[in-house]
Amino acid sequence: MKSKAHIKTHPLHPILVAFPIAFFIGAFIFDFLSLATTNLSFWQTGYYLSIAGITGALLAAVPGAVDYFFTVPPNSSAKKRATKHALINLLNVFLFGFAVYYRGTEAASTYVILTIEGIGVILLSIAGWLGGTLVHRNQIGIDHRYAQAGKWKESYFEQSSGKIEVATIDELKVNGLKLLHVAGKRIALGRTEKGYVAFDDHCTHKGGSLADGVLMCNTIHCPWHGSHFDVETGKVKAGPAKQPIATYQVAEQDGKVFLLL
């Protein structure tokens, strides 16, 4: 899904995370060199790299938090993965922060600091693995489009029931999609050759966003694992999903599209 924290559709979080990763690993390497060579300049470099890593990690966490709360689909495997990713990174920042504090104490031991930083680097690798999976498997931050789909569309509505105006007749091209937030509920609005349809944005397999999928031949294709659903009946046309998705009534009137709840 398209990132909410981006510059010209390029997500900010992946841009920023490269810096703390390099700084934290660099701090561990230079502290190890300090122990191996007894060179004080390596020790000082490790200290400053740790400070830079903590600062960079906190900066990268800002767009990461924006995407966590507003981009990652709720109640999905990606949300669980993103939670682990965030918690591990926070723990890593705490470890390096403690190592920086510990350096200034009289009882400071290079071996202890290297152990703490080594654990931090391992955690950093695990968090990086999870982050990569979020991008490459769950497609978080990816604004992928297909022929005639148009740009990503998303709207919010406070009304939770009744007849809700959600689009104009010509807002979407055939096979186009739009994500609706209706009183906190995520509903995908699509346009087929027959007209407008509406269905749950939540794939029943792992919770992927169907509004971020591909709509063709009256079928929505989940972008995560390829499940296919009939957009009129909600029935599964191809797995791995086994449960159907909910569908909603849509009415077209006076050049406008209404969702009936």
Side-chain angles (χ1 to χ4, degrees):
M1 295 189 69
K2 183 179 178 181
S3 171
K4 295 294 189 299
H6 64 88
I7 296 178
K8 293 185 176 180
T9 74
H10 197 302
L12 291 174
H13 186 63
I15 296 175
L16 297 176
V17 295
F19 295 99
I21 290 173
F23 293 149
F24 284 140
I25 294 175
F28 175 72
I29 292 174
F30 274 95
D31 284 340
F32 177 79
L33 290 175
S34 172
L35 177 65
T37 64
T38 66
N39 188 325
L40 184 60
S41 63
F42 287 149
W43 177 257
Q44 293 174 331
T45 301
Y47 169 78
Y48 289 119
L49 284 173
S50 292
I51 296 294
I54 293 169
T55 303
L58 293 176
L59 288 174
V62 175
V66 172
D67 281 339
Y68 177 82
F69 288 108
F70 301 107
T71 301
V72 181
N75 303 316
S76 66
S77 60
K79 198 70 167 184
K80 295 177 181 177
R81 187 171 288 119
T83 301
K84 294 177 183 178
H85 173 74
L87 292 176
I88 292 173
N89 276 319
L90 288 174
L91 177 58
N92 183 60
V93 170
F94 171 79
L95 288 175
F96 273 90
F98 178 78
V100 169
Y101 163 77
Y102 180 70
R103 284 173 185 263
T105 65
E106 294 182 359
S109 166
T110 305
Y111 292 101
V112 173
I113 292 174
L114 280 174
T115 300
I116 294 172
E117 292 178 344
I119 294 172
V121 169
I122 293 173
L123 291 176
L124 190 67
S125 301
I126 296 172
W129 177 279
L130 292 170
T133 305
L134 283 166
V135 173
H136 298 292
R137 180 181 298 172
N138 300 129
Q139 302 183 33
I140 304 302
I142 296 178
D143 184 24
H144 67 277
R145 295 287 85 195
Y146 55 96
Q148 303 301 320
K151 293 183 178 181
W152 173 260
K153 295 180 181 293
E154 191 169 356
S155 295
Y156 293 79
F157 305 90
E158 294 183 1
Q159 186 177 341
S160 60
S161 61
K163 189 176 182 180
I164 308 171
E165 182 182 337
V166 293
T168 59
I169 289 291
D170 59 353
E171 183 172 340
L172 295 179
K173 296 180 180 180
V174 173
N175 295 329
L177 290 161
K178 179 180 181 179
L179 177 59
L180 311 176
H181 296 266
V182 183
K185 183 177 181 62
R186 295 164 62 105
I187 297 175
L189 179 72
R191 186 176 185 181
T192 69
E193 292 83 353
K194 300 178 182 179
Y196 278 86
V197 293
F199 46 90
D200 264 348
D201 179 55
H202 184 87
C203 175
T204 55
H205 177 228
K206 292 291 185 178
S209 171
L210 297 180
D212 196 40
V214 177
L215 177 60
M216 287 186 177
C217 301
N218 227 47
T219 302
I220 186 68
H221 302 220
C222 178
W224 286 9
H225 302 96
S227 294
H228 295 181
F229 302 91
D230 187 299
V231 294
E232 291 185 350
T233 65
K235 292 182 179 179
V236 178
K237 300 179 74 172
K242 296 181 180 180
Q243 299 298 320
I245 57 173
T247 58
Y248 304 91
Q249 285 186 297
V250 175
E252 300 177 18
Q253 182 181 350
D254 300 327
K256 298 177 181 178
V257 181
F258 296 90
L259 181 65
L260 307 179
L261 295 178

